Amino acid sequence: MITLHNSLHREVTIVSNTFIDEYMPRANGEFVKVYLYLLRVMGDTLVSLSLEQMADRLMCTEGDILRALKYWEGERLLILDYRENGEPEGITLCEMPVSALADTAHPAIAAAEASSAASSAVSAGSSQKSASASPSSVPLKKKSLTPDRIRELKQNEEIVQLLYIAEQYLGKALTPTEIQKILFFYDELKMSVDLIDYLIEYCVGRGHKSMRYIETVAMAWAQEGITTVEMAKDSTSRYGKDYFTILKSMGITNRNPVDSEVSMMDTWMKDYGFTMDLIQEACTRTVLLTGQPSFQYTDKILSGWLKKGVKSMQDVKVLDAQHQKRKQERTASRTPAPKTPNRFNNFHQRDYDFDEYEKRLLNQ
């Protein structure tokens, strides 16, 4: 059984605008349903439930519930505590950054959102066990900018220009949540205006206009200690456009290449010297023949082409034609020969008049 605790009493369920704007669009519908249900049960002071009960309530399987919980744990919206047998025994809903709407929305709404996010907690076992939980088990939380600080930053001419440039990159007006995230990069991550400019340009240039994705890259750069545009370019140079083009040909999107993939792609482009259209053709054939992306299979295709001196798509077409011809010849060689006539009938047939023979014998 999983015991849920909350000191607040409400007849409504408050959903953060940040969740709706940033998390919900990318999540599976079943995952969203599970998260909303967790928010709903927070409205009761003390609730105990199991995965089975949650599954029955939401008309899905326990596996669906567990997958949803692990997904939101990966998104850092909750923390799962496990028993020794690997089953979950506790859930803690984490604080979500308060939307920048706080500086323009009604104060009661902003306060309610902040209170709801901060007070939501789910813990297994008794209330005493929940109270004794170690604070160190909760991950570091992002600081939320205060409304006063947001207003102050918006008066900075550099920030005003940065927000304008960001809108041009993203091709739309920024939402309050997106504005707050950009201000967070500047104020909390200590990124310069130039670095934030390059950050947005870098992400949009690779087909990612989601602020969630941009924030993920920003956090990664901060952890790597990247503080200048030059450092960022050095860090991202090996993930050039060609790498992402090849990944896309494999049907792989929304992630960077891993080191082994980078090494193999470098081999194709630098050591083998193949052009991008040949590499893309090999990737396409790989997916068609195997049904999945496989860098090893693509390497077999390209290494085979290298041995045969392929330099262009025309060479590939010639090889395909030769292969088809050999295939037809092999098929023809396996076709059985037509049957020969029966040798019994392979001589001149004679006609005999047996009545005439009988008369001759009788007259003798």
Side-chain angles (χ1 to χ4, degrees):
M1 300 301 294
I2 301 175
T3 305
L4 302 98
H5 304 271
N6 193 4
S7 61
L8 301 179
H9 298 273
R10 291 198 184 98
E11 294 300 324
V12 296
T13 299
I14 298 178
V15 183
S16 167
N17 287 334
T18 303
F19 176 81
I20 296 174
D21 293 340
E22 302 296 333
Y23 294 89
M24 187 178 71
R26 300 184 296 107
N28 178 287
E30 292 295 318
F31 297 169
V32 173
K33 186 165 67 174
V34 170
Y35 185 79
L36 293 179
Y37 183 69
L38 289 176
L39 292 181
R40 163 65 184 88
V41 296
M42 289 300 125
D44 297 326
T45 305
L46 180 61
V47 177
S48 296
L49 77 164
S50 64
L51 293 179
E52 181 181 5
Q53 290 171 329
M54 292 178 67
D56 290 341
R57 184 77 177 99
L58 299 178
M59 301 182 67
C60 57
T61 66
E62 293 180 40
D64 294 333
I65 299 293
L66 192 56
R67 279 191 293 273
L69 294 176
K70 290 183 177 180
Y71 173 82
W72 293 122
E73 182 181 37
E75 293 291 315
R76 300 182 180 179
L77 294 191
L78 58 82
I79 304 169
L80 292 177
D81 296 321
Y82 297 93
R83 298 185 178 91
E84 293 183 357
N85 61 3
E87 295 180 355
E89 68 170 354
I91 307 170
T92 301
L93 294 186
C94 300
E95 179 180 359
M96 194 176 298
V98 180
S99 172
L101 283 172
D103 63 347
T104 56
H106 192 283
I109 297 177
E113 290 190 51
S115 176
S116 173
S119 62
S120 297
V122 185
S123 176
S126 65
S127 58
Q128 290 80 5
K129 181 175 181 179
S130 177
S132 63
S134 171
S136 62
S137 62
V138 181
L140 295 175
K141 301 173 183 177
K142 303 172 188 174
K143 296 179 182 179
S144 298
L145 297 175
T146 65
D148 289 340
R149 181 56 177 160
I150 291 176
R151 281 191 288 269
E152 179 184 349
L153 290 172
K154 284 183 177 180
Q155 295 174 1
N156 186 321
E157 187 61 33
E158 278 191 322
I159 297 297
V160 173
Q161 183 67 17
L162 174 63
L163 296 178
Y164 172 78
I165 293 174
E167 288 183 338
Q168 304 311 304
Y169 279 131
L170 299 178
K172 68 181 185 69
L174 295 174
T175 66
T177 300
E178 291 169 337
I179 292 175
Q180 188 195 29
K181 289 187 182 298
I182 293 175
L183 297 181
F184 170 79
F185 303 156
Y186 178 83
D187 202 54
E188 296 293 337
L189 299 185
K190 306 302 179 184
M191 287 185 167
S192 67
V193 170
D194 290 340
L195 183 56
I196 298 173
D197 185 348
Y198 176 73
L199 165 70
I200 300 174
E201 178 190 359
Y202 170 79
C203 295
V204 172
R206 281 147 185 78
H208 299 288
K209 292 187 176 183
S210 165
M211 188 56 67
R212 175 63 176 170
Y213 181 90
I214 296 172
E215 181 187 24
T216 301
V217 176
M219 297 297 289
W221 286 4
Q223 291 177 353
E224 292 178 27
I226 294 175
T227 57
T228 66
V229 174
E230 290 70 23
M231 294 173 66
K233 288 182 177 180
D234 289 341
S235 176
T236 59
S237 60
R238 67 193 187 111
Y239 299 140
K241 180 180 178 181
D242 288 344
Y243 295 135
F244 290 95
T245 299
I246 295 173
L247 286 182
K248 187 175 180 180
S249 299
M250 287 277 198
I252 300 173
T253 58
N254 299 324
R255 72 167 176 83
N256 286 331
V258 300
D259 290 341
S260 60
E261 294 170 346
V262 171
S263 176
M264 197 162 287
M265 287 188 284
D266 282 340
T267 299
W268 301 340
M269 292 185 289
K270 299 175 183 178
D271 297 342
Y272 293 177
F274 283 124
T275 56
M276 187 53 57
D277 60 339
L278 286 173
I279 296 175
Q280 286 181 281
E281 177 66 19
C283 293
T284 301
R285 295 186 181 209
T286 296
V287 176
L288 289 175
L289 292 172
T290 67
Q292 60 185 356
S294 172
F295 279 78
Q296 290 75 18
Y297 195 94
T298 302
D299 187 65
K300 288 183 180 179
I301 294 176
L302 291 173
S303 61
W305 287 353
L306 180 67
K307 292 177 181 177
K308 295 176 181 179
V310 170
K311 298 294 183 180
S312 65
M313 284 300 301
Q314 183 60 37
D315 294 337
V316 173
K317 292 178 181 179
V318 171
L319 284 180
D320 288 344
Q322 293 174 350
H323 174 74
Q324 188 65 25
K325 183 179 179 181
R326 288 195 298 270
K327 184 177 179 181
Q328 292 174 350
E329 291 174 350
R330 286 196 298 268
T331 302
S333 65
R334 289 195 295 266
T335 303
K339 293 183 179 180
T340 57
N342 191 329
R343 286 183 297 174
F344 179 79
N345 298 319
N346 200 21
F347 59 89
H348 178 68
Q349 300 291 321
R350 299 179 181 179
D351 296 329
Y352 295 98
D353 188 344
F354 290 98
D355 290 336
E356 181 66 24
Y357 274 108
E358 184 178 9
K359 289 179 181 180
R360 291 180 181 180
L361 290 174
L362 291 175
N363 294 328
Q364 287 180 355

